[in-house]
Amino acid sequence: MPAMRFSLLLCVCCALMACGGLLPKCAEAAKARHFKWEVSNMFWSPDCEEKVLIGINGQFPGPTIRAKAGDTIVVELKNALHTEGVVIHWHGIRQVGTPWADGTASISQCAINPEETFTYRFVVDKPGTYFYHGHYGMQRAAGLYGSLVVDVADGEEEPFEYDGELNLLLSDWYHESIYTQMVGLSSKPFRWIGEPQSLLINGRGQFNCSLAAAHTPGTKQCATGGNRHCAPVVFPVLPNKTYRLRIASTTSLASLNLAVGNHKLMVVEADGNYVDPFVVDDIDIYSGDSYSVLLTTDQNPSSNYWVSVGVRGRQPNTAPALAVLNYRPNRASRPPALAPPATPAWNDYAHSKAFTYRILARAGTPPPPGTSNRRIELLNTQNRMDGHIKWSINNVSMVLPATPYLGSLKMGLKSALAAARPADTFGRGYDVTRPPANPNTTVGDNVYVLEHNTTVDVVLQNANALANNVSEVHPWHLHGHDFWVLGYGDGAFPGDAGYAARLNLKNPPLRNTAVIFPYGWTAIRFVADNPGVWAFHCHIEPHLHMGMGVIFAEAVDRVGEVPKAAVSCGATATALMADDHV
Ligand code: C2O
Ligand code: CU
């Protein structure tokens, strides 16, 4: 039956497309794209070591969704895991009017039980490079992710030209299961997950060997052939063409840097928004980021070149991932003449900031409102609680409830919110350069209630962690919105004094993920015009698991009827049953 509906829709679209340029409105025929997915555990060898991961329809990474702006995506998701729930989040898709399809367990919906099916139905309204991933426990780190690419609608054009496209979904990979990792993170004493064993490009990596051993002293050459799961990634290209590289990172921990031997990269898109084009030798990609860069194959065509992805922001203990840019008609197996480009030093933050600060909106991007109605200042600290290690925001570490917020707030359940609302500020005078003077913290729901259509600024303040002289990079991702990145600063946020002067209101980039640098702050602005309940959190999986996030509950009274399947657990299920009796 769904198959039939699918082909009917296809026919309608074909018929409309056949009208060619005759009818200008022809292009507006948006299409529903149906997918039937089954999520299951499977044996896989992403870096040639066999492990168990979470895949979709027998694939890892999951299938790529390709759509056009305006299309409706329908994913019938069956949970074929044996003993745990599952959800999938569509990272970068704002879910306007469909907040229950955001795929966040305990926030937008009840986790889908084993053997049950939940249908995600939502519109992809903006062209761009996106991805999807699990959003329950640490399932993303278990391999539950894939790409989601939205092309411009028929009749529209991208504001730049290219001849072909290459897709690079970047991730990191641990040999320990996510269960072992989660137990360690919540144990006393705390057991840190450490650095990943390998970095993956489109789900493939190299552990304990290098594809370029000849250029990398002390490493052994990877055995080629044999295992299809970890065969080297090859990107075939023709000389003197321009390619659009779509690059997204769904890493659990690692901040990454990507470079292509001898080639320049022109950055044109970030998180589904066009940016003012600029040219670099390498780009930083934090977890949750996506970019498009243009690469022109203008180098010596008799050679192949390495694409190299290495670690930034943490002392690396993981070898770079390599892939081959294969200038045809050279053989793909022909080793590049040049060594893989070296990743900039992990702690060269000047390099990272120089890159990040160059990302500005392309002309034509909507500008932010000139002022805001509310400013929420969020201090990020690492804390202790009863012998556990936590990340806290304004001294509260986020824990998620049994009953998802969207349903419980929409149904007006009293138990939905903690009595005390989290604070809008951490006050002035906190010394961000030292470990917290009082490292104790508490847990809470961290729900900020936002008034409909208000303009909200959020200032994220980084600080020193528990150990001396340690402050990490944290990429913060907002669900349900793009935001303008208004500015960055080093040290403590100045408060009102000098704040406005440091903001870029002229051409700030629109994004859904923004980084805070060590000991620094980042200011963002968005309009609370999308009723729903939206997570805002550090995209580093173990940090989120340790409480590094807040929730924005936005005009929930304006949310349409929440599908029953999204509220079929906890207190909302009980309330539904009571209603049925009336
Ligand atoms: Cu891509 Cu809440 O995450
Ligand atoms: Cu973090």
Side-chain angles (χ1 to χ4, degrees), residues 89 91 104 131 133 135 140 288 477 479 535 537 539 544:
H89 167 58
H91 181 112
T104 45
F131 53 102
H133 60 78
H135 214 297
R140 170 160 58 95
H477 170 63
H479 291 228
H537 61 89
H539 211 263
L544 171 59

Side-chain angles (χ1 to χ4, degrees), residues 13-32:
C13 292
C14 301
L16 281 167
M17 263 146 54
C19 65
L22 296 175
L23 294 169
K25 286 289 164 215
C26 172
E28 282 169 20
K31 176 148 99 172

Side-chain angles (χ1 to χ4, degrees), residues 507-527:
N507 58 350
L510 267 174
R511 302 205 65 167
N512 60 52
T513 304
V515 65
I516 52 175
F517 289 111
Y519 301 108
W521 56 268
T522 298
I524 66 167
R525 176 169 293 177
F526 65 97
V527 180

Side-chain angles (χ1 to χ4, degrees), residues 380 391 472-476 516 537-544 548:
N380 293 230
W391 285 97
E472 299 179 29
V473 163
H474 304 280
W476 276 74
I516 52 175
H537 61 89
C538 175
H539 211 263
I540 292 178
E541 191 85 313
H543 290 183
L544 171 59
M548 198 167 207

Side-chain angles (χ1 to χ4, degrees), residues 149-474:
V149 175
V150 182
D151 288 307
V152 292
D154 287 331
E156 305 278 321
E157 272 180 15
E158 300 278 7
F160 40 81
E161 282 178 9
Y162 51 98
D163 306 298
E165 218 179 279
L166 309 172
N167 190 50
L168 294 87
L169 182 61
L170 310 179
S171 56
D172 51 6
W173 182 244
Y174 285 86
H175 288 174
E176 292 280 21
S177 75
I178 57 166
Y179 311 102
T180 307
Q181 296 180 40
M182 288 188 288
V183 172
L185 294 172
S186 54
S187 287
K188 356 184 222 192
F190 179 75
R191 289 197 210 171
W192 175 238
I193 62 171
E195 298 301 311
Q197 275 61 60
S198 37
L199 303 179
L200 309 180
I201 302 174
N202 296 344
R204 294 148 188 263
Q206 303 92 41
F207 174 65
N208 256 347
C209 66
S210 172
L211 294 172
H215 292 292
T216 325
T219 57
K220 84 170 197 288
Q221 183 68 36
C222 299
T224 47
N227 195 333
R228 68 185 171 92
H229 293 167
C230 58
V233 177
V234 174
F235 295 109
V237 292
L238 294 172
N240 295 313
K241 301 273 183 215
T242 296
Y243 291 86
R244 176 182 193 167
L245 277 58
R246 295 185 182 266
I247 305 165
S249 171
T250 178
T251 53
S252 175
L253 178 69
S255 300
L256 302 175
N257 181 275
L258 177 144
V260 182
N262 259 21
H263 290 74
K264 299 272 181 204
L265 307 172
M266 179 188 280
V267 182
V268 291
E269 179 217 341
D271 299 355
N273 292 288
Y274 299 122
V275 301
D276 194 21
F278 62 99
V279 175
V280 287
D281 291 321
D282 58 89
I283 76 164
D284 281 340
I285 312 120
Y286 301 97
S287 182
D289 282 348
S290 61
Y291 289 100
S292 285
V293 302
L294 301 182
L295 171 146
T296 299
T297 46
D298 53 6
Q299 295 301 304
N300 179 353
S302 66
S303 184
N304 291 332
Y305 298 86
W306 291 115
V307 177
S308 176
V309 177
V311 172
R312 306 292 319 279
R314 306 180 61 88
Q315 177 116 52
N317 195 16
T318 313
L322 298 178
V324 179
L325 188 73
N326 171 214
Y327 271 57
R328 290 290 170 88
N330 302 328
R331 277 179 300 115
S333 58
R334 177 175 188 160
L338 299 165
T343 304
W346 69 274
N347 55 358
D348 184 354
Y349 291 112
H351 187 90
S352 306
K353 290 177 187 176
F355 172 73
T356 301
Y357 297 171
R358 284 182 78 178
I359 302 168
L360 297 167
R362 188 180 183 100
T365 304
T371 55
S372 68
N373 304 101
R374 179 175 177 186
R375 187 168 76 215
I376 301 173
E377 303 168 4
L378 302 176
L379 174 66
N380 293 230
T381 53
Q382 196 180 33
N383 299 75
R384 272 184 228 290
M385 197 186 75
D386 184 26
H388 298 281
I389 296 190
K390 299 281 183 190
W391 285 97
S392 301
I393 304 307
N394 293 358
N395 218 26
V396 181
S397 186
M398 183 177 75
V399 283
L400 293 171
T403 307
Y405 288 118
L406 183 64
S408 58
L409 290 171
K410 174 73 185 167
M411 290 162 81
L413 303 188
K414 288 213 189 62
S415 57
L417 297 181
R421 303 270 31 83
D424 270 16
T425 178
F426 53 93
R428 299 278 84 77
Y430 182 91
D431 186 350
V432 301
T433 65
R434 296 211 158 74
N438 169 9
N440 294 328
T441 191
T442 52
V443 291
D445 66 12
N446 273 0
V447 176
Y448 289 84
V449 178
L450 306 182
E451 295 297 321
H452 187 53
N453 268 338
T454 52
T455 300
V456 179
D457 282 8
V458 179
V459 177
L460 291 159
Q461 174 72 58
N462 208 343
N464 198 100
L466 285 168
N468 279 309
N469 300 315
V470 175
S471 184
E472 299 179 29
V473 163
H474 304 280

